[in-house]
């Protein structure tokens, strides 16, 4: 397969000037990925089928002895927002337990939950787009998540009404620590003190989710800008290897169209979840 890059604009455009102030919040200061709790919520939703029952069990049985109700309410609101607002391009939260069953590590689960975070949180999405552009441009240390670099990126955010990003320095610093926490969980940063990251390795299950997500969101030209891989900071040099890996599973296959190889889902996207496996 030959990938074509015109060397022009970054595959993911900047969101500066596109977001309204009402879309942006600092929820990441209260709640990171919290893989274990998110997995509990997904399992409850799969079992009960509605969020009202999930909420009742969450407060009455799960968290009463672990944290204050106020803290639990914040965590519940933020985590469920990611699931409730999930685009159809991601697995329905009701099947997430099946997806997680196919994950080999907690990092696999974190990389999947990260896609829900990016889809739901506009400020995280803006920052991820900016870092994806740094990767695409081949900048030195493109995944530098120091307060200095993050603050510069946040300071460059202009809202659609012409106003600018404006939060207290202490709040911004907590948000920066929140994004670094997320980056540690998905494998970009190693260790509590690290601020300069590496392109993370991607397990098979998050790879399938990322490709299905890319296919659903990218139209006919999805393969030249696979959103899921871009969000996971996979440089273009890695894409062909990742496509080949996917094609070794039963979920994806190469088809010859007009003399070129084209990567496509073997059936419908996410059919591999219902099939109970990827190989």
């Amino acid at each position: 397969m030959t990938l074509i890059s015109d060397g022009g604009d970054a595959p993911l455009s900047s969101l500066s000037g596109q977001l309204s102030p009402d879309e942006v919040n600092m929820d990441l200061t209260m709640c990171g990925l919290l893989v274990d709790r998110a997995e509990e919520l997904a399992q409850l939703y799969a079992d009960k089928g509605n969020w009202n029952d999930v909420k009742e069990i969450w407060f009455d049985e799960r968290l009463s002895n672990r944290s204050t109700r106020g803290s639990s309410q914040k965590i519940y609101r933020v985590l469920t927002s990611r699931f409730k607002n999930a685009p159809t391009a991601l697995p329905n939260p009701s099947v997430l337990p099946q997806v997680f069953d196919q994950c080999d590590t907690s990092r696999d689960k974190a990389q999947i939950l990260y896609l829900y975070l990016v889809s739901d949180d506009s400020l995280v999405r803006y920052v991820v787009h900016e870092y994806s552009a740094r990767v695409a441009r081949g900048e030195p240390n493109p995944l530098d998540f120091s307060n200095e670099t993050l603050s510069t990126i946040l300071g460059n955010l202009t809202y659609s009404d012409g106003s600018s990003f404006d939060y207290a320095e202490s709040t911004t610093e907590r948000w920066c620590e929140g994004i670094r926490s997320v980056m540690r969980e998905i494998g970009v940063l190693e260790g509590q003190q690290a601020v300069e990251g590496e392109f993370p390795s991607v397990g098979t299950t998050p790879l399938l989710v990322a490709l299905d997500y890319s296919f659903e969101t990218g139209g006919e030209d999805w393969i030249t800008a696979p959103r899921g891989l871009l969000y996971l900071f996979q440089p273009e040099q890695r894409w062909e290897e990742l496509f080949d890996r996917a094609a070794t599973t039963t979920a994806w296959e190469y088809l010859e169209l007009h003399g070129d190889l084209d990567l496509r889902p073997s059936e419908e996207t996410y059919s591999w979840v219902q099939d109970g496996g990827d190989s």
Side-chain angles (χ1 to χ4, degrees), residues 33-65:
L33 290 181
L34 296 182
V35 174
D36 290 344
R37 292 194 183 185
E39 188 173 7
E40 287 181 24
L41 280 171
Q43 186 63 61
L44 281 172
Y45 183 67
D47 292 341
K48 300 301 178 182
N50 70 84
W51 289 110
N52 288 334
D53 287 347
V54 170
K55 185 175 184 179
E56 182 177 354
I57 295 172
W58 178 260
F59 288 116
D60 292 348
E61 297 181 10
R62 297 291 178 123
L63 297 182
S64 58
N65 296 321

Side-chain angles (χ1 to χ4, degrees), residues 21-234:
D22 293 340
E23 290 181 78
V24 172
N25 60 62
M26 303 298 278
D27 279 351
L28 197 63
T29 62
M30 296 185 292
C31 179
L33 290 181
L34 296 182
V35 174
D36 290 344
R37 292 194 183 185
E39 188 173 7
E40 287 181 24
L41 280 171
Q43 186 63 61
L44 281 172
Y45 183 67
D47 292 341
K48 300 301 178 182
N50 70 84
W51 289 110
N52 288 334
D53 287 347
V54 170
K55 185 175 184 179
E56 182 177 354
I57 295 172
W58 178 260
F59 288 116
D60 292 348
E61 297 181 10
R62 297 291 178 123
L63 297 182
S64 58
N65 296 321
R66 281 196 258 167
S67 57
T68 65
R69 186 169 183 85
S71 173
S72 299
Q73 287 175 331
K74 290 177 182 177
I75 291 171
Y76 179 86
R77 177 184 63 78
V78 176
L79 290 181
T80 56
S81 174
R82 297 171 192 171
F83 290 149
K84 292 177 180 179
N85 296 324
T88 57
L90 287 171
N92 188 286
S94 63
V95 302
L96 268 180
Q98 294 171 257
V99 175
F100 289 153
D101 283 345
Q102 298 178 45
C103 290
D104 294 323
T105 65
S106 178
R107 178 170 293 178
D108 285 357
K109 298 174 184 178
Q111 289 179 345
I112 293 167
L113 289 169
Y114 165 75
L115 296 177
Y116 289 82
L117 167 66
V118 178
S119 295
D120 182 54
D121 190 312
S122 295
L123 187 57
V124 172
R125 188 163 63 254
Y126 160 73
V127 167
V128 168
H129 278 227
E130 297 301 310
Y131 275 96
S132 176
R134 290 166 61 92
V135 171
R137 289 193 298 264
E139 291 191 14
N141 300 322
L143 300 180
D144 173 4
F145 286 91
S146 64
N147 278 7
E148 180 180 6
T149 300
L150 279 166
S151 295
T152 298
I153 290 173
L154 292 172
N156 288 336
L157 173 59
T158 300
Y159 297 124
S160 54
D161 65 0
S163 61
S164 301
F165 178 85
D166 184 23
Y167 281 92
E169 183 177 350
S170 59
T171 303
T172 301
E173 288 179 354
R174 290 201 310 276
W175 192 92
C176 291
E177 180 50 47
I179 200 73
R180 283 193 292 271
S181 173
V182 170
M183 293 302 133
R184 284 193 292 271
E185 293 209 66
I186 68 171
V188 172
L189 296 176
E190 294 290 343
Q192 292 294 318
Q193 304 305 316
V195 296
E196 291 189 6
E198 303 289 342
F199 306 133
S201 59
V202 180
T204 298
T205 303
L207 172 60
L208 295 181
V209 172
L211 288 182
D212 282 6
Y213 175 69
S214 300
F215 184 80
E216 291 286 351
T217 58
E220 287 300 312
D221 296 327
W222 74 273
I223 207 162
T224 62
R227 185 171 293 256
L229 298 185
L230 292 165
Y231 281 171
L232 286 165
F233 308 119
Q234 299 302 296

